[in-house]
Amino acid sequence: DQPAWSGRLRITAKGKIAFIKLEDKTSGELFAQAPVEQFPGIAVESVTDSSRYFVIRIEDGNGRRAFIGVGFVDRGDAFDFNVALQDHFKWVRQQSELARQAENPDQGPKLDLGFKEGQTIKLNIANMKKKEGATGNTRPRPVGPGGLSLLPPPPGGKSSAPVCHSGERPSSLSAPAQLPGTPITDSLLSWPQPAAAPSA
């Protein structure tokens, strides 16, 4: 209720060291400063019977040190103070770990994705065997003239003559000589077109 001094507290960092600065509320003039090299440590200690009170070690820059008690009116501010210090030193640990890994890249754990002796794997490739009663992902086949089902020609294979309705004559196919293994394209093969209906 009656503190010896009241003001604002800021935490700043320079390199790996965090500085707790006690400043005047209005002018911002520095009242005291506490460098923190590790947390938890001797520079900042929480009291055992409250989460709002701490003991910090302040320094004047000439080697003189003093321990003072700091209390927060709001428990949330005390929590933020604690978390800010923890976050800074967590960052310091991560930076030192990254620097150590950069110096010795071969020291890290290696991921072995090779097969162990006698180890096997099993691959199921999209319905290779059809089970009885199972409906597979089948596509409808195109139906040709006369209700016959036509299969597409095999890749690089020869195409068969088209199936014609009774009474129609197949027109001659004009296809240049095809090399084995080349795909059949529209420019190489022309199918007979149905006769246009006479206009009335």
Side-chain angles (χ1 to χ4, degrees):
D1 293 336
Q2 301 272 332
W5 179 84
S6 180
R8 72 178 180 199
L9 182 143
R10 285 193 318 142
I11 298 177
T12 61
K14 185 176 182 182
K16 295 182 177 183
I17 300 175
F19 293 93
I20 300 171
K21 295 185 177 185
L22 302 174
E23 301 173 341
D24 187 77
K25 287 181 192 177
T26 55
S27 67
E29 183 183 351
L30 183 65
F31 172 73
Q33 175 173 283
V36 184
E37 295 177 4
Q38 66 179 0
F39 182 77
I42 195 163
V44 180
E45 295 181 68
S46 59
V47 300
T48 56
D49 60 346
S50 177
S51 63
R52 295 186 298 127
Y53 295 95
F54 299 87
V55 176
I56 64 172
R57 183 181 66 186
I58 59 173
E59 295 182 7
D60 68 350
N62 294 327
R64 295 188 311 170
R65 298 175 177 169
F67 290 92
I68 63 170
V70 175
F72 293 92
V73 176
D74 186 18
R75 190 168 266 109
D77 292 337
F79 177 78
D80 291 344
F81 169 73
N82 204 9
V83 168
L85 287 172
Q86 288 176 1
D87 284 349
H88 170 73
F89 287 100
K90 181 179 177 183
W91 174 82
V92 168
R93 284 191 299 273
Q94 287 175 345
Q95 293 301 314
S96 63
E97 183 68 29
L98 289 174
R100 194 170 30 241
Q101 287 179 358
E103 290 174 2
N104 301 322
D106 297 335
Q107 297 292 331
K110 295 179 182 175
L111 185 61
D112 182 17
L113 297 176
F115 286 110
K116 309 295 185 270
E117 186 176 341
Q119 185 179 10
T120 61
I121 60 171
K122 180 180 177 182
L123 298 176
N124 292 329
I125 301 176
N127 298 332
M128 290 299 285
K129 295 181 181 178
K130 299 213 179 207
K131 296 180 180 174
E132 290 184 51
T135 57
N137 187 10
T138 58
R139 294 181 299 195
R141 291 184 179 162
V143 177
L148 295 175
S149 172
L150 297 177
L151 291 176
K158 295 180 181 178
S159 62
S160 60
V163 177
C164 300
H165 289 295
S166 58
E168 288 185 1
R169 289 181 32 194
S171 63
S172 63
L173 298 177
S174 61
Q178 181 184 355
L179 296 174
T182 57
I184 299 174
T185 60
D186 292 333
S187 63
L188 296 177
L189 184 65
S190 61
W191 293 94
Q193 299 296 322
S199 58

PDB file of all heavy atoms in Angstrom, residues 59-72:
ATOM      1  N   GLU A  59      22.153  -2.709 -10.351  1.00  0.00           N
ATOM      2  CA  GLU A  59      23.558  -2.294 -10.416  1.00  0.00           C
ATOM      3  C   GLU A  59      23.614  -0.855 -10.890  1.00  0.00           C
ATOM      4  O   GLU A  59      22.777  -0.414 -11.678  1.00  0.00           O
ATOM      5  CB  GLU A  59      24.342  -3.195 -11.371  1.00  0.00           C
ATOM      6  CG  GLU A  59      24.458  -4.631 -10.925  1.00  0.00           C
ATOM      7  CD  GLU A  59      25.290  -5.481 -11.881  1.00  0.00           C
ATOM      8  OE1 GLU A  59      25.886  -4.921 -12.825  1.00  0.00           O
ATOM      9  OE2 GLU A  59      25.330  -6.701 -11.683  1.00  0.00           O
ATOM     10  N   ASP A  60      24.641  -0.131 -10.444  1.00  0.00           N
ATOM     11  CA  ASP A  60      24.774   1.268 -10.848  1.00  0.00           C
ATOM     12  C   ASP A  60      25.805   1.463 -11.958  1.00  0.00           C
ATOM     13  O   ASP A  60      26.036   2.582 -12.387  1.00  0.00           O
ATOM     14  CB  ASP A  60      25.109   2.151  -9.643  1.00  0.00           C
ATOM     15  CG  ASP A  60      26.492   1.886  -9.074  1.00  0.00           C
ATOM     16  OD1 ASP A  60      27.126   0.885  -9.492  1.00  0.00           O
ATOM     17  OD2 ASP A  60      26.934   2.658  -8.203  1.00  0.00           O
ATOM     18  N   GLY A  61      26.448   0.425 -12.425  1.00  0.00           N
ATOM     19  CA  GLY A  61      27.451   0.555 -13.478  1.00  0.00           C
ATOM     20  C   GLY A  61      28.855   0.717 -12.953  1.00  0.00           C
ATOM     21  O   GLY A  61      29.825   0.599 -13.700  1.00  0.00           O
ATOM     22  N   ASN A  62      29.038   1.015 -11.640  1.00  0.00           N
ATOM     23  CA  ASN A  62      30.359   1.170 -11.028  1.00  0.00           C
ATOM     24  C   ASN A  62      30.727  -0.040 -10.178  1.00  0.00           C
ATOM     25  O   ASN A  62      31.665   0.029  -9.391  1.00  0.00           O
ATOM     26  CB  ASN A  62      30.395   2.441 -10.157  1.00  0.00           C
ATOM     27  CG  ASN A  62      30.240   3.689 -11.002  1.00  0.00           C
ATOM     28  OD1 ASN A  62      30.689   3.732 -12.140  1.00  0.00           O
ATOM     29  ND2 ASN A  62      29.584   4.704 -10.443  1.00  0.00           N
ATOM     30  N   GLY A  63      29.961  -1.120 -10.312  1.00  0.00           N
ATOM     31  CA  GLY A  63      30.237  -2.322  -9.533  1.00  0.00           C
ATOM     32  C   GLY A  63      29.439  -2.423  -8.255  1.00  0.00           C
ATOM     33  O   GLY A  63      29.503  -3.439  -7.567  1.00  0.00           O
ATOM     34  N   ARG A  64      28.678  -1.390  -7.897  1.00  0.00           N
ATOM     35  CA  ARG A  64      27.854  -1.460  -6.689  1.00  0.00           C
ATOM     36  C   ARG A  64      26.526  -2.139  -7.007  1.00  0.00           C
ATOM     37  O   ARG A  64      25.902  -1.843  -8.015  1.00  0.00           O
ATOM     38  CB  ARG A  64      27.611  -0.058  -6.109  1.00  0.00           C
ATOM     39  CG  ARG A  64      28.873   0.598  -5.614  1.00  0.00           C
ATOM     40  CD  ARG A  64      28.598   1.869  -4.876  1.00  0.00           C
ATOM     41  NE  ARG A  64      27.703   2.752  -5.615  1.00  0.00           N
ATOM     42  CZ  ARG A  64      27.159   3.847  -5.091  1.00  0.00           C
ATOM     43  NH1 ARG A  64      27.396   4.185  -3.851  1.00  0.00           N
ATOM     44  NH2 ARG A  64      26.363   4.604  -5.824  1.00  0.00           N
ATOM     45  N   ARG A  65      26.097  -3.025  -6.135  1.00  0.00           N
ATOM     46  CA  ARG A  65      24.868  -3.786  -6.333  1.00  0.00           C
ATOM     47  C   ARG A  65      24.012  -3.710  -5.078  1.00  0.00           C
ATOM     48  O   ARG A  65      24.530  -3.575  -3.966  1.00  0.00           O
ATOM     49  CB  ARG A  65      25.181  -5.261  -6.614  1.00  0.00           C
ATOM     50  CG  ARG A  65      25.986  -5.470  -7.868  1.00  0.00           C
ATOM     51  CD  ARG A  65      26.363  -6.915  -8.024  1.00  0.00           C
ATOM     52  NE  ARG A  65      27.086  -7.112  -9.275  1.00  0.00           N
ATOM     53  CZ  ARG A  65      27.718  -8.212  -9.585  1.00  0.00           C
ATOM     54  NH1 ARG A  65      27.744  -9.226  -8.747  1.00  0.00           N
ATOM     55  NH2 ARG A  65      28.323  -8.326 -10.739  1.00  0.00           N
ATOM     56  N   ALA A  66      22.705  -3.847  -5.292  1.00  0.00           N
ATOM     57  CA  ALA A  66      21.765  -3.882  -4.169  1.00  0.00           C
ATOM     58  C   ALA A  66      20.582  -4.770  -4.565  1.00  0.00           C
ATOM     59  O   ALA A  66      20.209  -4.849  -5.732  1.00  0.00           O
ATOM     60  CB  ALA A  66      21.285  -2.478  -3.832  1.00  0.00           C
ATOM     61  N   PHE A  67      20.010  -5.445  -3.586  1.00  0.00           N
ATOM     62  CA  PHE A  67      18.828  -6.271  -3.808  1.00  0.00           C
ATOM     63  C   PHE A  67      17.614  -5.487  -3.338  1.00  0.00           C
ATOM     64  O   PHE A  67      17.588  -4.991  -2.211  1.00  0.00           O
ATOM     65  CB  PHE A  67      18.933  -7.591  -3.051  1.00  0.00           C
ATOM     66  CG  PHE A  67      19.965  -8.519  -3.611  1.00  0.00           C
ATOM     67  CD1 PHE A  67      21.262  -8.513  -3.124  1.00  0.00           C
ATOM     68  CD2 PHE A  67      19.637  -9.388  -4.632  1.00  0.00           C
ATOM     69  CE1 PHE A  67      22.210  -9.367  -3.651  1.00  0.00           C
ATOM     70  CE2 PHE A  67      20.582 -10.252  -5.164  1.00  0.00           C
ATOM     71  CZ  PHE A  67      21.879 -10.238  -4.672  1.00  0.00           C
ATOM     72  N   ILE A  68      16.613  -5.361  -4.205  1.00  0.00           N
ATOM     73  CA  ILE A  68      15.379  -4.655  -3.840  1.00  0.00           C
ATOM     74  C   ILE A  68      14.180  -5.548  -4.159  1.00  0.00           C
ATOM     75  O   ILE A  68      14.247  -6.431  -5.021  1.00  0.00           O
ATOM     76  CB  ILE A  68      15.246  -3.295  -4.570  1.00  0.00           C
ATOM     77  CG1 ILE A  68      15.143  -3.490  -6.088  1.00  0.00           C
ATOM     78  CG2 ILE A  68      16.398  -2.372  -4.207  1.00  0.00           C
ATOM     79  CD1 ILE A  68      14.772  -2.217  -6.840  1.00  0.00           C
ATOM     80  N   GLY A  69      13.107  -5.299  -3.466  1.00  0.00           N
ATOM     81  CA  GLY A  69      11.863  -6.028  -3.714  1.00  0.00           C
ATOM     82  C   GLY A  69      10.990  -5.255  -4.680  1.00  0.00           C
ATOM     83  O   GLY A  69      10.858  -4.043  -4.592  1.00  0.00           O
ATOM     84  N   VAL A  70      10.426  -5.950  -5.644  1.00  0.00           N
ATOM     85  CA  VAL A  70       9.536  -5.348  -6.633  1.00  0.00           C
ATOM     86  C   VAL A  70       8.200  -6.077  -6.555  1.00  0.00           C
ATOM     87  O   VAL A  70       8.158  -7.311  -6.558  1.00  0.00           O
ATOM     88  CB  VAL A  70      10.131  -5.469  -8.060  1.00  0.00           C
ATOM     89  CG1 VAL A  70       9.150  -4.959  -9.095  1.00  0.00           C
ATOM     90  CG2 VAL A  70      11.441  -4.751  -8.173  1.00  0.00           C
ATOM     91  N   GLY A  71       7.126  -5.293  -6.470  1.00  0.00           N
ATOM     92  CA  GLY A  71       5.797  -5.889  -6.431  1.00  0.00           C
ATOM     93  C   GLY A  71       4.904  -5.282  -7.498  1.00  0.00           C
ATOM     94  O   GLY A  71       5.022  -4.112  -7.840  1.00  0.00           O
ATOM     95  N   PHE A  72       4.027  -6.086  -8.053  1.00  0.00           N
ATOM     96  CA  PHE A  72       3.073  -5.637  -9.069  1.00  0.00           C
ATOM     97  C   PHE A  72       1.692  -5.584  -8.446  1.00  0.00           C
ATOM     98  O   PHE A  72       1.304  -6.486  -7.692  1.00  0.00           O
ATOM     99  CB  PHE A  72       3.066  -6.594 -10.263  1.00  0.00           C
ATOM    100  CG  PHE A  72       4.348  -6.592 -11.053  1.00  0.00           C
ATOM    101  CD1 PHE A  72       5.365  -7.486 -10.746  1.00  0.00           C
ATOM    102  CD2 PHE A  72       4.534  -5.702 -12.094  1.00  0.00           C
ATOM    103  CE1 PHE A  72       6.531  -7.488 -11.470  1.00  0.00           C
ATOM    104  CE2 PHE A  72       5.707  -5.706 -12.828  1.00  0.00           C
ATOM    105  CZ  PHE A  72       6.711  -6.594 -12.511  1.00  0.00           C
TER     106      PHE A  72
END
